[in-house]
Amino acid sequence: KVYRASTTAPVNIAVVKYWGKRDTKLNLPTNSSLSVTLSQADLRTLTTASCSASYPEGDSLLLNGEPSDVSGARPQACFRELRARRAALEAADPSLPKLSTMPLRIVSENNFPTAAGLASSAAGFAAFVRAIANLYELPASPAELSLIARQGSGSACRSLFGGYVAWRMGSAADGSDSMADQVAEASHWPEMRALILVASAAKKGVSSTSGMQQTVATSGLFQERIKSVVPRNMEIMEKAIAERDFERFAEVTMRDSNSFHATCADTYPPIFYMNDVSRAAIRAVEAINAAAGRTVAAYTFDAGPNAVIYYLEKDTEAVVGSLYSVLSHVDGWKSGAVEGLKANVSFDESVAGLLKNGVSRVIMTSVGEGPVATEEY
Ligand code: DP6
């Protein structure tokens, strides 16, 4: 007999960034962080977890059709935690099938190209944990599962929820209070949009896992960031979201991205994630905001050159319209989504040229919901 359960999980993009661990084994961060969960219609991981006493190969993982190693500490930590919870249920109710002792087979697929250079580990580990929890019929809340997903990849803990999500750093040495928590539902501020400019399909040079620890070890600026910059940004950001104050949301988003990349530059030797296309995107956002006479767009960058631009639905014309003539020929552009939009180039031609030549794909999406159990597999 084969037991099976499937789920989808979303991507999230932080507006206050996680960068630095105080415990590398448990993935405990040096600061709290906050992200927006993106719509699964555009970006999601679909994962099926199954188990059977007759699986011959032991635990296994198929990632986008390719066999993937599960012997690493991160998937092992997730397997161990989930099995322990299932074993406790089985001990309490001997009539339950002994799933905790059976090999697990995990099959995971993204609906976006891995080559797009988009962070997929967050959606990946969130789906991994949620699918096994569903298979095991664990009564665990998303917050509790976030403790487990965190051990797979830090940012994954935030993908257990939809909407606006904080990861509270916690203080316990065992990590029991370092978990995600929903700041607001997607429906609280459903007008939030995200435009992703894929600036490079190449794999990033320094992984976030190793990059952040080089920063922790060598950057003086980083100490200032975790002591005062991030706590202040978290406070303003939570208030901005509660009040749906886009101008404040945008300023903190841009400042926090800049602060994070400044600590990368202050790392010794320095780490550069942004490239010329990224910097052109920053100038484009500045030009769009200047032309609008208010802040209508906010950029942010993770550990790579792709730009994520947040804006509100009502400002689609001002934001996307400005970029329309340069982005309309790029792969992935959805002309239908912006029908009736006028090309309205309001920024420097050189910026337009750089964007046009360096952006390989455009994804237009919005704030979205958390993981969804599904029958498809
Ligand atoms: C820049 O979650 O990928 O995207 O915990 O080592 O797996 P590990 O790191 P990861 O780091 C993400 C860093 C970031 C900022 C963020 O998502 O908050």
Side-chain angles (χ1 to χ4, degrees):
K1 183 167 167 59
V2 175
Y3 300 86
R4 205 187 308 266
S6 297
T7 189
T8 61
V11 165
N12 73 76
I13 299 290
V15 290
V16 177
K17 305 291 188 191
Y18 150 51
W19 196 251
K21 301 175 208 266
R22 64 179 198 276
D23 182 320
T24 53
K25 264 214 180 94
L26 290 169
N27 267 348
L28 301 181
T30 50
N31 60 264
S32 295
S33 56
L34 200 150
S35 59
V36 179
T37 294
L38 300 183
S39 169
Q40 297 182 62
D42 302 297
L43 302 164
R44 59 114 183 96
T45 299
L46 167 62
T47 296
T48 299
S50 64
C51 63
S52 173
S54 64
Y55 281 169
E57 75 275 20
D59 295 337
S60 67
L61 169 64
L62 206 63
L63 246 179
N64 294 316
E66 300 281 332
S68 184
D69 185 22
V70 287
S71 67
R74 291 161 173 234
Q76 285 301 320
C78 296
F79 281 143
R80 192 168 55 242
E81 295 260 356
L82 291 157
R83 280 205 165 97
R85 283 167 170 78
R86 172 68 192 185
L89 289 184
E90 291 166 2
D93 179 356
S95 74
L96 290 174
K98 303 278 179 287
L99 305 189
S100 65
T101 62
M102 299 176 186
L104 282 159
R105 185 180 286 177
I106 315 296
V107 178
S108 191
E109 257 161 45
N110 297 329
N111 68 344
F112 53 93
T114 315
L118 290 163
S120 56
S121 71
F125 270 107
F128 183 102
V129 169
R130 185 74 258 187
I132 299 172
N134 291 354
L135 171 69
Y136 286 172
E137 298 184 322
L138 301 182
S141 66
E144 204 178 330
L145 294 181
S146 79
L147 290 167
I148 304 175
R150 187 201 73 225
Q151 297 175 55
S153 180
S155 54
C157 75
R158 298 184 311 239
S159 277
L160 267 312
F161 290 97
Y164 302 83
V165 187
W167 172 11
R168 311 290 176 192
M169 64 179 289
S171 56
D174 67 354
S176 55
D177 58 356
S178 185
M179 62 173 101
D181 143 41
Q182 192 180 48
V183 167
E185 304 260 4
S187 60
H188 165 76
W189 204 5
E191 296 86 2
M192 188 64 71
R193 297 291 176 271
L195 186 69
I196 305 174
L197 309 182
V198 179
S200 166
K203 227 178 140 358
K204 58 194 169 195
V206 183
S207 75
S208 35
T209 304
S210 87
M212 64 176 78
Q213 288 320 92
Q214 294 169 32
T215 301
V216 170
T218 64
S219 168
L221 190 58
F222 172 75
Q223 295 305 324
E224 177 68 11
R225 172 170 166 79
I226 62 171
K227 239 185 278 155
S228 59
V229 176
V230 171
R232 188 170 61 239
N233 286 350
M234 285 295 291
E235 201 182 316
I236 304 172
M237 183 56 82
E238 286 190 59
K239 198 157 175 280
I241 291 168
E243 295 170 358
R244 300 183 195 90
D245 180 343
F246 185 81
E247 299 235 359
R248 301 189 95 188
F249 170 93
E251 184 175 340
V252 173
T253 296
M254 294 186 279
R255 281 183 180 275
D256 195 82
S257 176
N258 296 343
S259 155
F260 151 47
H261 289 280
T263 68
C264 291
D266 188 48
T267 299
Y268 190 77
I271 305 170
F272 305 114
Y273 288 118
M274 291 195 286
N275 63 17
D276 284 350
V277 182
S278 318
R279 285 182 284 275
I282 292 178
R283 291 295 178 227
V285 166
E286 286 174 340
I288 288 167
N289 288 338
R294 65 194 165 90
T295 309
V296 292
Y299 56 79
T300 186
F301 300 84
D302 280 345
N306 298 338
V308 177
I309 300 174
Y310 284 114
Y311 60 98
L312 294 178
E313 207 272 324
K314 69 178 167 69
D315 293 319
T316 304
E317 179 84 47
V319 179
V320 186
S322 298
L323 297 167
Y324 183 77
S325 67
V326 286
L327 296 183
S328 53
H329 303 293
V330 176
D331 185 27
W333 176 259
K334 298 186 205 167
S335 56
V338 285
E339 228 176 315
L341 209 61
K342 291 188 291 290
N344 151 35
V345 182
S346 58
F347 55 94
D348 195 278
E349 281 299 315
S350 62
V351 170
L354 204 44
L355 271 179
K356 187 177 179 176
N357 294 324
V359 177
S360 61
R361 195 179 168 85
V362 180
I363 299 163
M364 290 181 74
T365 188
S366 58
V367 62
E369 307 295 336
V372 181
T374 163
E375 290 304 308
E376 303 166 41
Y377 46 79

